[in-house]
Amino acid sequence: MIIPSYNREKQVVAAVRSVLEQSCAPFEVIVIDDGSTDSTWDALSPFRERIRYIKTPNSGASAARNIGVREARGEWIAFLDSDDTWDGTKLWRQLGCVERTGAKVCFCVSIDQSGVTVDDLSRMDGDLVDGSERFYPAGDCRLFKYPRHPFLQSLLVERHALMAAGMFDETLAVAEDTKLIQGLVLLYGYS
């Protein structure tokens, strides 16, 4: 579990708490402090025994995420931005899905704070109903027909697959998540 953060001392605590309170505890939680000048380290003091904190010079979210991937020891990787939170069953549900489907790449629906679905996966597949799951093999292009892709925060990916897809392109100022997600889907399919 990787959380990049830059000057978000007030938000990062809720993000870390939402990960640590998962019904299926993550193998590890890595916070990459991307050169913050605020009190991020102090804000995380209640969690210091339960997280890995890595401070780096400010290089952007892609570089911070890539550092987190290289430092990760677990088989599965998930990302959460420091100003977002997860539902308490996110990891449990996704790990169950990858176990049932054999997927190396798994997305879930993202819902904003007001309860509105913000990346409705059912728009990509009209037969996908709430609570259902499906595996789409490599080469299935339905994800590319939809104008948006699932949010990075909804991704659970096998570490080996992430490394093989090239990780985040640090030369891109925008759409680095789009490039990675599309590469993963083309190589491995998704559920």
Side-chain angles (χ1 to χ4, degrees), residues 2-187:
I2 298 166
I3 303 173
S5 186
Y6 175 71
N7 286 340
R8 287 199 174 140
E9 67 182 273
K10 291 182 174 62
Q11 296 95 346
V12 72
V13 170
V16 169
R17 185 175 289 120
S18 78
V19 173
L20 292 174
E21 293 176 352
Q22 289 291 299
S23 58
C24 173
F27 176 74
E28 65 185 341
V29 178
I30 303 172
V31 176
I32 306 295
D33 184 336
D34 187 32
S36 294
T37 57
D38 65 2
S39 298
T40 296
W41 172 244
D42 295 330
L44 292 172
S45 63
F47 309 109
R48 288 186 188 159
E49 298 297 318
R50 300 175 64 196
I51 66 172
R52 289 177 59 203
Y53 177 87
I54 301 169
K55 180 131 184 181
T56 65
N58 181 256
S59 301
S62 290
R65 289 183 183 116
N66 285 340
I67 289 167
V69 171
R70 285 190 292 275
E71 289 289 326
R73 298 179 191 127
E75 179 182 355
W76 292 93
I77 304 285
F79 300 95
L80 181 62
D81 285 350
S82 56
D83 62 342
D84 290 323
T85 58
W86 280 347
D87 174 79
T89 61
K90 178 203 186 283
L91 286 179
W92 174 75
R93 289 176 183 221
Q94 284 189 290
L95 287 168
C97 180
V98 298
E99 185 177 304
R100 287 185 294 276
T101 64
K104 296 179 183 295
V105 178
C106 182
F107 298 103
C108 63
V109 171
S110 295
I111 300 171
D112 71 13
Q113 292 178 345
S114 65
V116 174
T117 301
V118 291
D119 69 343
D120 189 359
L121 295 172
S122 66
R123 291 182 186 175
M124 290 179 230
D125 181 348
D127 294 330
L128 194 63
V129 295
D130 188 34
S132 65
E133 59 191 44
R134 177 170 291 149
F135 177 73
Y136 304 96
D140 182 304
C141 293
R142 95 184 58 231
L143 182 112
F144 302 103
K145 295 175 184 174
Y146 186 63
R148 297 185 317 197
H149 58 74
F151 287 125
L152 183 64
Q153 295 86 334
S154 78
L155 172 67
L156 179 69
V157 60
E158 188 180 71
R159 185 174 187 272
H160 177 268
L162 186 59
M163 302 285 280
M167 302 201 311
F168 293 91
D169 186 339
E170 297 178 25
T171 66
L172 295 177
V174 296
E176 72 286 348
D177 57 340
T178 302
K179 181 179 179 182
L180 175 67
I181 288 170
Q182 290 177 349
L184 284 166
V185 167
L186 286 171
L187 286 171

